[in-house]
Amino acid sequence: MDALLLKTLSAQREMEERFLQMEERRLQRDVEAEERRIQLEQRRFELERDHDFRMFNVFAQMLNVLKQGNPGSCATGTAPNVDLHQTFSNSTEIGERLSEEAKALQLGQTRSDRATKAFHSIGQADFQNSPYLSIRGNRAVVSMLPEDGYKLYQADKYDEDKNPSGIINFGISENKLCFDLMSKKLTQSAGNITDPSLLQYSDWKGHMFVREEVARFLTYYCKAPAPLKKENVILHNGCGSLFSSLAVVLCDPGEAFLIATPFYGGIIKDMNLYARVKLVHAYLDSQVTGSCTRPFQLTVDKLKKALQDAQSKGIKVRGLILLNPQNPLGDIYSLSELQDYLEFAKRHELHVIVDEIYMLSVFDDSATFHSVLEMDRLPDPQRTHVLWGISKDFGMSGIRFGTLYTLNQDVIKAVSCFGYFHGISGLMQYQIAQLLRDRDWINQVYLPTNHERLKAAYSFVTDELKTLGIPFLNCSAGFFIWVDFRKYLRNITFEEEMLLWKRFLDKKVLLAPGIHFECNEPGWFRIIFADKMNRLQLGMQKVCEVLEEQEREILNEDKDPLCLSESEGTVDSTDEVIFVSHHQEPTSSGSSNLGDLIGLLQQQMRSSDWLQKNTVEQFAQEKPEVYDVFSKLVGKK
């Protein structure tokens, strides 16, 4: 009996070790495996575990039989008092706990597996689970893999004098156009800081005098119908920290927020790294179909479909994220659109986080930005939370200062707890308050200069793209242009997109590929234009060189870049997205802009057999407005 008990306990110990080994192997596979394969592996693991538990049950029954048949048998000493039922319960608890952690890890991998695979395909992602790190630690490392380009740029920044062969930044959204104004202003505002309170702990929401200044600032620039209250303002060291804190207090691990793609990819880490909150995607595409009037247009129907798909998979969606102005598309939502989105969220009891961090970076005079705080009556005020910071509008991404405005006192209390980890130094709070207070300087000096420089930089880059015949989306705000490089991909895949991204990086220019923004269509890139003219010129020259080399190689391989076979994927027509303005309704065909029409012709004629496939009569019938303008232009010449 003693020997049998010893063997049973040893078997139990071996089984528990086997569970842990199996779980380690499965978690390693989770990093690279596709979701379907993960589900199959999880099912296989559960079946094996059930099989092992049945074996334990057989052992238990055998021992009961032996005990009943030999009640006094104990030759070598007293048999240990073993509660087998408790032993099996403990084993089950261990397995379930590990399984729950694995599921949480799976839910946390919101960054597409395709992104990790794409980086592996070009040799950028080199990751193995570290035995020194926890599951969460390894997950954090994985989440940073797509930022290899950022690391290379930080280690090799272009500088006209110190590093002329360095990497030019067209990928990281920073405004470098007004450093002269801002450095002078901050030097003046530093003054003689003698208040001891600035050197001490502040309220975890931020110093009250700063929150009061933020409330006044937002009231004025958001055109709020009534003064905003300082008590509803919370300060963190950047909007990323606020996103992370809101994710923790509004969701439990495995729950989700709804967001339209493409979107600023940093939100993935903001939501997932600490809180393990998923992002459910409402996919937008470049084709204008149905009720849409512009490419990549967000509609309530698309939000509704994404929500229903998530619910059908058992995912609990707790909120909606809106970016206005939108990054990377440059969209500015109208008041009616905002109203529709907020009404949708109210119907489904969703929190809404509205990120307005580019609200003062609208450089087109014909465009108008509308803040959510401008609305007379919010559909669901207790579930509406607005973010803004100084990183973009004031070109100070290195000074971490983000603000949250919400009417929900429970959210304020919960988010304030994280001010302990994400606070801002008292000295910096003082300087920012001085900056926000000087409205005359902002309105008369900074904003006009910033908008003028943004407009000039934007015009230069877009003119270069038009000359190359490259489709892009017109925008009125932000520092970025959403560009269509699909015709430069051999195959329409994210692996090919990453190969093109790598070619840009090898040429010492950093761009952001669409996969970073969870774009559903391979081949789109974001170009940052908020930089000095000499850097823009050099950067666009490098971009042009890469594209010309890529195009020559494709043509030499006897492949039509615009007409791939079905097995390789097809490129949808981009006619609808050439130079389309987001903030205006489409104009009638008779008033089409001449530059846009010529750009469309350039785009089509870059295909080597376009003239053979399109006769004059066919072209005049299919695109009469283009044909008329072109005929008049030829007649004048």
Side-chain angles (χ1 to χ4, degrees):
M1 176 66 74
D2 292 344
L4 183 57
L5 285 172
L6 181 61
K7 288 181 179 180
T8 301
L9 293 175
S10 299
Q12 174 195 347
R13 194 175 302 112
E14 291 175 1
M15 289 297 180
E16 290 178 351
E17 291 176 355
R18 181 182 174 192
F19 292 154
L20 293 174
Q21 292 172 357
M22 289 171 61
E23 189 62 25
E24 278 186 1
R25 292 197 301 269
R26 196 184 64 78
L27 289 177
Q28 289 174 353
R29 289 193 295 269
D30 278 351
V31 176
E32 301 177 359
E34 296 178 353
E35 185 174 351
R36 177 60 181 160
R37 197 175 74 184
I38 294 176
Q39 293 174 351
L40 293 174
E41 290 294 329
Q42 176 69 19
R43 178 60 179 158
R44 187 171 68 84
F45 171 77
E46 291 173 353
L47 290 174
E48 290 181 356
R49 188 181 65 180
D50 291 342
H51 174 71
D52 290 336
F53 285 155
R54 284 195 294 271
M55 290 181 61
F56 274 123
N57 189 41
V58 171
F59 280 133
Q61 293 177 8
M62 289 174 58
L63 286 175
N64 285 334
V65 171
L66 290 172
K67 281 185 177 181
Q68 292 173 3
N70 300 280
S73 175
C74 193
T76 58
T78 305
N81 184 15
V82 179
D83 188 343
L84 293 178
H85 176 75
Q86 182 65 37
T87 300
F88 299 145
S89 298
N90 291 342
S91 300
T92 304
E93 182 180 350
I94 292 172
E96 290 177 348
R97 178 165 52 83
L98 291 172
S99 179
E100 289 174 2
E101 179 64 24
K103 290 178 181 177
L105 175 61
Q106 175 184 341
L107 292 171
Q109 292 298 329
T110 323
R111 171 72 72 182
S112 295
D113 287 335
R114 66 189 184 191
T116 305
K117 288 172 63 179
F119 272 84
H120 275 292
S121 70
I122 62 171
Q124 290 297 119
D126 183 16
F127 172 76
Q128 293 181 344
N129 275 326
S130 169
Y132 301 105
L133 298 178
S134 65
I135 293 173
R136 289 178 297 183
N138 280 302
R139 186 175 66 242
V141 175
V142 171
S143 72
M144 299 301 291
L145 289 180
E147 297 194 0
D148 282 357
Y150 176 79
K151 298 173 185 175
L152 292 173
Y153 165 70
Q154 290 294 338
D156 188 21
K157 286 184 180 181
Y158 172 84
D159 185 274
E160 291 84 347
D161 301 319
K162 299 178 181 177
N163 190 22
S165 62
I167 298 173
I168 294 177
N169 171 34
F170 277 8
I172 302 166
S173 186
E174 292 182 307
N175 185 353
K176 301 178 181 178
L177 294 171
C178 292
F179 285 165
D180 54 339
L181 298 179
M182 196 53 62
S183 59
K184 181 178 179 181
K185 181 63 179 174
L186 290 178
T187 303
Q188 293 172 349
S189 65
N192 185 19
I193 302 175
T194 58
D195 191 338
S197 66
L198 300 177
L199 305 178
Q200 301 169 359
Y201 290 123
S202 67
D203 185 324
W204 297 128
K205 302 183 192 72
H207 282 292
M208 183 59 78
F209 74 90
V210 188
R211 294 160 60 201
E212 182 176 7
E213 208 57 58
V214 168
R216 289 176 184 156
F217 180 89
L218 295 178
T219 299
Y220 178 80
Y221 287 102
C222 295
K223 299 180 176 63
L228 303 179
K229 297 180 180 180
K230 59 187 177 184
E231 293 82 5
N232 297 331
V233 175
I234 299 178
L235 306 180
H236 268 17
N237 58 343
C239 287
S241 297
L242 286 166
F243 264 120
S244 182
S245 297
L246 284 169
V248 171
V249 304
L250 298 180
C251 300
D252 289 318
E255 295 180 343
F257 265 87
L258 180 62
I259 190 169
T261 73
F263 64 89
Y264 165 59
I267 296 176
I268 296 173
K269 289 196 299 296
D270 299 339
M271 291 281 138
N272 179 249
L273 203 54
Y274 288 138
R276 287 188 286 171
V277 170
K278 292 187 67 175
L279 289 176
V280 170
H281 302 154
Y283 288 106
L284 311 182
D285 56 64
S286 61
Q287 295 303 302
V288 179
T289 57
S291 60
C292 295
T293 60
R294 63 181 187 266
F296 294 103
Q297 183 174 351
L298 175 61
T299 64
V300 170
D301 287 341
K302 294 175 183 177
L303 292 175
K304 184 178 179 180
K305 182 182 184 303
L307 179 62
Q308 291 173 343
D309 290 346
Q311 291 173 340
S312 68
K313 297 175 183 176
I315 300 173
K316 187 172 184 179
V317 179
R318 297 297 302 272
L320 167 67
I321 296 174
L322 295 174
L323 311 178
N324 185 35
Q326 211 274 357
N327 177 9
L329 301 178
D331 263 336
I332 301 175
Y333 298 131
S334 66
L335 276 176
S336 61
E337 286 177 317
L338 289 172
Q339 185 75 29
D340 290 342
Y341 304 149
L342 294 180
E343 290 286 358
F344 162 81
K346 180 182 180 180
R347 287 194 298 272
H348 297 280
E349 296 185 347
L350 301 178
H351 287 272
V352 183
I353 301 176
V354 188
D355 183 354
E356 299 183 349
I357 198 167
Y358 290 97
M359 74 173 185
L360 297 182
S361 298
V362 180
F363 54 84
D364 188 337
D365 297 335
S366 63
T368 303
F369 167 78
H370 297 284
S371 170
V372 165
L373 297 175
E374 178 183 338
M375 301 173 70
D376 290 327
R377 183 174 298 177
L378 291 170
D380 193 350
Q382 291 298 307
R383 288 192 177 93
T384 306
H385 321 290
V386 183
L387 302 183
W388 179 79
I390 64 171
S391 296
K392 311 303 182 182
D393 286 339
F394 287 103
M396 295 192 290
S397 53
I399 298 178
R400 312 303 297 140
F401 185 93
T403 68
L404 164 66
Y405 190 86
T406 178
L407 299 177
N408 190 312
Q409 296 304 309
D410 292 333
V411 172
I412 290 174
K413 291 176 184 176
V415 172
S416 299
C417 299
F418 293 89
Y420 178 83
F421 303 105
H422 300 296
I424 308 167
S425 74
L427 299 179
M428 189 52 62
Q429 289 189 52
Y430 173 83
Q431 282 195 281
I432 299 305
Q434 295 293 101
L435 170 66
L436 301 182
R437 185 178 295 122
D438 195 348
R439 206 165 297 163
D440 289 340
W441 180 82
I442 294 174
N443 291 335
Q444 298 172 19
V445 178
Y446 179 76
L447 288 181
T449 305
N450 187 40
H451 293 165
E452 181 92 13
R453 295 177 182 179
L454 284 172
K455 190 182 303 182
Y458 174 79
S459 297
F460 172 78
V461 175
T462 54
D463 286 345
E464 291 290 304
L465 293 172
K466 291 177 184 179
T467 301
L468 295 171
I470 297 174
F472 63 91
L473 297 188
N474 246 342
C475 69
S476 306
F479 318 143
F480 30 77
I481 307 170
W482 193 234
V483 183
D484 182 3
F485 286 152
R486 285 182 289 179
K487 67 179 180 179
Y488 296 101
L489 304 185
R490 290 175 174 82
N491 304 314
I492 307 305
T493 65
F494 288 104
E495 287 75 15
E496 281 293 317
E497 176 181 281
M498 292 311 304
L499 286 172
L500 181 57
W501 171 83
K502 183 64 164 55
R503 294 197 70 163
F504 286 126
L505 193 59
D506 291 342
K507 189 68 76 170
K508 293 301 184 75
V509 59
L510 175 66
L511 274 68
I515 200 170
H516 281 188
F517 307 92
E518 298 292 342
C519 183
N520 202 35
E521 300 176 5
W524 289 86
F525 282 71
R526 187 187 72 174
I527 293 181
I528 300 298
F529 61 85
D531 209 336
K532 296 179 180 179
M533 191 58 66
N534 64 316
R535 298 188 184 189
L536 294 180
Q537 292 171 343
L538 181 58
M540 288 305 297
Q541 178 184 336
K542 292 175 179 289
V543 168
C544 182
E545 291 173 1
V546 171
L547 296 180
E548 288 177 349
E549 292 171 3
Q550 186 82 356
E551 189 171 36
R552 281 196 300 270
E553 292 178 9
I554 293 175
L555 291 175
N556 289 337
E557 294 170 3
D558 294 326
K559 287 187 178 181
D560 186 345
L562 294 176
C563 302
L564 297 174
S565 66
E566 290 182 1
S567 63
E568 295 169 332
T570 60
V571 182
D572 295 329
S573 170
T574 56
D575 295 352
E576 297 87 344
V577 298
I578 298 179
F579 321 140
V580 174
S581 174
H582 278 171
H583 64 274
Q584 296 175 337
E585 292 298 320
T587 57
S588 63
S589 59
S591 60
S592 298
N593 180 273
L594 178 60
D596 294 357
L597 296 177
I598 293 175
L600 187 151
L601 287 172
Q602 290 175 330
Q603 162 67 14
Q604 291 179 320
M605 293 177 68
R606 289 176 73 83
S607 173
S608 59
D609 59 352
W610 184 86
L611 290 174
Q612 288 77 17
K613 290 184 177 181
N614 295 270
T615 64
V616 174
E617 293 78 9
Q618 180 183 1
F619 186 70
Q621 183 179 359
E622 293 180 354
K623 299 186 181 296
E625 72 281 1
V626 179
Y627 177 75
D628 291 343
V629 174
F630 189 72
S631 298
K632 292 177 183 178
L633 184 62
V634 173
K636 289 181 180 180
K637 290 185 176 179

